[in-house]
Amino acid sequence: MERETQFIGQSAAFQDAVERASQAAALDRPVLVIGERGTGKELIAERLHRLSARWDRPYVILNCAAMPETLIESELFGHEAGAFTGATRTRAGRFEEADGGTLFLDELATMSMGAQERLLRAVEYGEVTRVGSSRPIRVDVRIVAATNEHLPALADAGRFRADLLDRLSFEVITLPPLRAREGDIEVLATYFGQRMAAVLGWDEWPGFGPRALAAMEGHDWPGNVRELRNVIERAIYRWADPGRPVDALNFDPFASPWQPVARKPVPKAETAPATAGDAVPVAASHEAQSGPVSDLRAAVDGFEKQILSDTMARCRFNQKVAAEALGLSYDQIRHALKKHGLNQ
């Protein structure tokens, strides 16, 4: 089923949010879109672009949560050839791609503090610098960002830059959850039901029975509109008699008397990429040995080589990140890698 960009709903809370987005669209200022999962943050962001003077320019989307921390700066600002292992050619970042248009940053709260600092400079001065370069590039980009977190609380806890929050919060549009949208549940359910019935080739839409309507209104909808759509479409395709109103809903598709029993996960070694300030774990095989050491220099060199090898692997072979994790300068880590033959 095709992606829909239209808004369905009649509640005052929902209409107010859409109207605020329409008003903010004409202003060339940053906008934050806040809301629970499934409330339509992506649709509001696209509306802000389509109703703006930038409507015919690029609309670029980046999901910050989908990008590894070590790559998000390269994805946002681009990189020069040779900036890190695997960077075989120069690549423009999302800011350059969105020049003249809008950059939508989804899941903003997951962005690392280092990336937030560079984002602040880009928003403040309209300049980006590719990773591995010292030459700034001028860009004209409008920022729209979305999150399901309460950013002021994260800023108070030191997990989000307060100065970046100040810069991005010219307008904040908070979308109401479905449970707060009075009268919209049945409207949305009918819309999704009619579409699914058409897909299945039903001759006409029979509507919903009283049990189904009561169940809809009594459900909390933690997944909001996205969850509602899944529940309704699943109910339609499972309904055996298109001539009668649909009167059975299944809110939990995993519910089954034969569902597997959850098992306790087996502890695994830490594999998350290192960032600046992280302590570097020492491999168990290189812990203090109880036996005597006959060649201290060789033992120290072997230990140093193992630490470098492990850290580079954890940092996805990004020398800059590995250097910060070990408290070394870029030149120092390059010298150490060359010394141990690890710079291949």
Side-chain angles (χ1 to χ4, degrees):
M1 300 175 74
E2 72 280 3
R3 180 172 178 268
E4 291 290 339
T5 58
Q6 63 193 97
F7 292 92
I8 308 296
Q10 61 186 14
S11 66
F14 177 69
Q15 294 291 345
D16 285 347
V18 174
E19 179 60 25
R20 287 186 64 185
S22 302
Q23 293 176 347
L27 300 176
D28 202 14
R29 295 290 186 275
V31 177
L32 285 176
V33 184
I34 314 295
E36 297 178 6
R37 60 186 173 95
T39 50
K41 297 185 292 294
E42 302 89 347
L43 297 181
I44 290 292
E46 187 166 349
R47 185 179 187 85
L48 286 164
H49 174 70
R50 299 301 176 195
L51 296 183
S52 74
R54 299 170 180 259
W55 65 270
D56 59 342
R57 304 306 301 275
Y59 176 61
V60 179
I61 302 173
L62 176 65
N63 187 328
C64 301
M67 296 300 303
E69 185 175 340
T70 53
L71 294 180
I72 189 155
E73 291 189 33
S74 170
E75 193 68 24
L76 274 173
F77 309 113
H79 62 255
E80 296 292 338
F84 51 85
T85 302
T88 58
R89 60 185 178 85
T90 298
R91 182 182 182 280
R94 300 296 178 94
F95 264 94
E96 290 179 71
E97 293 175 2
D99 190 23
T102 303
L103 176 60
F104 173 44
L105 300 175
D106 200 6
E107 303 290 350
L108 177 70
T110 64
M111 186 177 288
S112 68
M113 296 298 283
Q116 289 179 36
E117 182 176 358
R118 295 194 65 182
L119 176 61
L120 174 63
R121 180 172 181 82
V123 175
E124 188 75 33
Y125 300 107
E127 292 182 347
V128 297
T129 304
R130 293 175 180 169
V131 176
S133 172
S134 59
R135 181 176 62 87
I137 300 171
R138 296 289 300 177
V139 291
D140 174 22
V141 175
R142 183 192 192 181
I143 300 293
V144 177
T147 182
N148 57 7
E149 298 279 0
H150 185 53
L151 292 179
L154 294 185
D156 291 341
R159 293 167 52 199
F160 195 87
R161 291 186 65 101
D163 46 3
L164 178 59
L165 179 60
D166 291 341
R167 192 65 181 84
L168 294 179
S169 57
F170 169 79
E171 177 63 288
V172 179
I173 299 171
T174 304
L175 299 181
L178 184 56
R179 59 184 173 275
R181 293 171 53 175
E182 186 177 357
D184 281 355
I185 293 176
E186 186 174 351
V187 171
L188 283 161
T190 299
Y191 173 73
F192 292 132
Q194 289 175 335
R195 290 182 64 209
M196 191 62 179
V199 168
L200 296 174
W202 289 11
D203 293 333
E204 59 181 18
W205 168 240
F208 292 102
R211 285 192 308 170
L213 290 172
M216 289 180 209
E217 294 298 336
H219 189 58
D220 197 40
W221 301 111
N224 293 289
V225 178
R226 189 179 295 119
E227 180 189 5
L228 173 67
R229 174 176 173 170
N230 283 338
V231 169
I232 297 305
E233 291 181 353
R234 184 165 55 243
I236 302 303
Y237 104 85
R238 290 182 177 181
W239 191 244
D241 187 357
R244 292 189 302 113
V246 179
D247 211 18
L249 301 179
N250 178 11
F251 294 100
D252 183 6
F254 295 96
S256 169
W258 304 285
Q259 64 185 12
V261 178
R263 298 180 181 179
K264 293 183 178 180
V266 178
K268 296 189 295 185
E270 178 62 47
T271 58
T275 57
D278 283 350
V280 179
V282 178
S285 60
H286 290 271
E287 291 177 353
Q289 301 176 1
S290 57
V293 174
S294 58
D295 188 337
L296 177 61
R297 184 176 297 278
V300 171
D301 284 346
F303 195 28
E304 182 181 84
K305 181 177 181 179
Q306 185 62 47
I307 291 176
L308 286 167
S309 178
D310 291 346
T311 304
M312 287 294 291
R314 292 177 60 241
C315 296
R316 295 181 173 87
F317 303 98
N318 186 317
Q319 294 180 6
K320 181 177 181 293
V321 175
E324 292 175 349
L326 291 169
L328 301 175
S329 69
Y330 185 68
D331 288 338
Q332 286 174 330
I333 197 169
R334 284 180 61 84
H335 175 75
L337 291 171
K338 182 178 180 180
K339 170 185 174 184
H340 295 290
L342 297 175
N343 59 343
Q344 303 300 322

